[in-house]
């Protein structure tokens, strides 16, 4: 079915800035990997050998570098999770790991903001994680670096600080499931497409945020991202 006009105004296309380009990257879907760094799995008390699993955020939850993000509703335990973001220029179903990087447009640093108390309460009741993970402003993302310029980094420091004090640190070399493995595994579940982004999991050191906190994070060789947490809306 196609429509040429709509009964309410068509919605704006969510997008991510591209470093050094005036054009931006249109976002279709946001996928996130549940657990992907050993130290973080240990700090959360989870199984170190479980296969990767995925959850989603919505494209309009993206926030740009420099954003001021209101402290979200219903939580008393908002956590930061700094992550490598992979952006796809094409996709498919059942992508082989050996072909996976051909689908990557570029890389960025982002934060998987998490209402930890709500996530853990949902987990205890065997309910979906959605209430803990998928909320307004929950996916801040820095500018993309095209793979055509920087290649496909498999190592590099990933870090996050709050008010100038380091909270999270790791290295892309510590990813349990590599980017090609993540793309291959996720494409068994859904047909991936151009505009999809994947948040690839967080290293150890996740912790709570408060209104007024200034977050700075980055992945060496890819870029940085700064956001501020504000009072609730
Ligand atoms: Mn995460």
């Amino acid at each position: 079915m196609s429509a040429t006009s709509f009964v309410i105004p068509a919605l704006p296309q969510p997008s991510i800035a591209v470093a050094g380009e005036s054009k931006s990257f249109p976002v279709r879907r946001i996928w996130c990997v549940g657990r992907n760094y050993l130290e973080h799995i240990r700090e959360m008390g989870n199984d170190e050998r479980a296969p990767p699993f995925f959850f989603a955020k919505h494209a309009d939850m993206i926030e740009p570098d420099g954003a001021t993000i209101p402290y979200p509703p219903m939580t008393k335990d908002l956590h930061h999770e700094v992550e490598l973001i992979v952006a796809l220029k094409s996709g498919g179903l059942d992508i082989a790991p050996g072909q996976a990087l051909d689908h990557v447009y570029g890389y960025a640093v982002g934060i998987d903001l998490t209402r930890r108390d709500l996530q853990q309460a949902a987990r205890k009741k065997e309910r979906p994680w959605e209430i803990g993970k998928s909320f307004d402003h929950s996916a801040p993302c820095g500018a993309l670096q095209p793979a055509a310029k920087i290649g496909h980094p498999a190592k590099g420091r990933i870090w996050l600080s709050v008010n100038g004090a380091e909270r999270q640190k790791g290295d892309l070399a510590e990813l349990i499931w590599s980017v090609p493995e993540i793309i291959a595994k996720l494409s068994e579940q859904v047909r991936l497409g151009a505009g999809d982004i994947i948040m690839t999991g967080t290293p150890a050191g996740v912790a709570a945020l408060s209104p007024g906190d200034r977050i700075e994070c980055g992945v060496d060789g890819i870029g940085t991202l700064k956001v501020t947490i504000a009072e609730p809306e």
Side-chain angles (χ1 to χ4, degrees):
M1 194 181 76
S2 66
T4 53
S5 61
F6 303 97
V7 296
I8 60 168
L11 304 172
Q13 170 64 58
S15 65
I16 302 171
V18 178
E21 297 272 346
S22 56
K23 295 178 180 174
S24 60
F25 178 91
V27 178
R28 188 179 80 130
R29 295 173 176 167
I30 305 175
W31 293 101
C32 307
V33 180
R35 292 162 194 151
N36 211 11
Y37 290 81
L38 214 47
E39 292 302 318
H40 176 58
I41 292 174
R42 286 176 182 158
E43 77 179 346
M44 300 299 289
N46 293 314
D47 179 358
E48 296 174 13
R49 287 152 50 103
F53 66 94
F54 301 94
F55 58 91
K57 298 183 189 243
H58 297 278
D60 67 353
M61 294 170 178
I62 293 268
E63 289 288 339
D65 185 25
T68 297
I69 294 174
Y71 195 92
M74 297 181 70
T75 185
K76 291 185 168 59
D77 199 21
L78 176 68
H79 275 207
H80 51 74
E81 296 190 355
V82 63
E83 310 205 358
L84 171 72
I85 289 183
V86 180
L88 302 185
K89 63 183 177 187
S90 55
L93 203 57
D94 285 327
I95 297 168
Q99 265 78 61
L101 293 181
D102 298 343
H103 297 286
V104 174
Y105 172 77
Y107 299 91
V109 59
I111 306 171
D112 169 16
L113 285 173
T114 301
R115 294 190 284 205
R116 188 73 71 202
D117 43 358
L118 300 186
Q119 179 202 20
Q120 287 179 336
R123 201 169 70 180
K124 272 188 199 138
K125 293 177 187 167
E126 299 187 333
R127 285 183 181 166
W129 280 17
E130 188 158 13
I131 192 168
K133 289 292 195 177
S134 189
F135 53 92
D136 294 330
H137 319 291
S138 62
C141 184
L144 283 165
Q145 286 285 354
K149 284 188 187 162
I150 65 159
H152 298 281
K155 60 181 184 195
R157 203 169 64 97
I158 179 168
W159 56 274
L160 179 143
S161 67
V162 177
N163 303 324
E166 186 174 78
R167 291 265 190 99
Q168 290 191 261
K169 63 176 173 184
D171 195 287
L172 300 184
E174 298 162 2
L175 281 169
I176 295 170
W177 302 92
S178 68
V179 170
E181 288 170 334
I182 291 165
I183 292 170
K185 201 73 189 165
L186 181 56
S187 75
E188 295 174 1
Q189 180 177 318
V190 288
R191 180 179 292 279
L192 294 174
D196 289 356
I197 68 169
I198 305 170
M199 306 184 89
T200 58
T202 196
V206 299
L209 292 162
S210 303
D213 280 349
R214 291 172 292 103
I215 307 171
E216 187 169 4
C217 58
V219 180
D220 289 358
I222 292 176
T224 60
L225 167 66
K226 286 184 190 175
V227 296
T228 301
I229 304 297
E231 294 294 330
E233 285 183 289

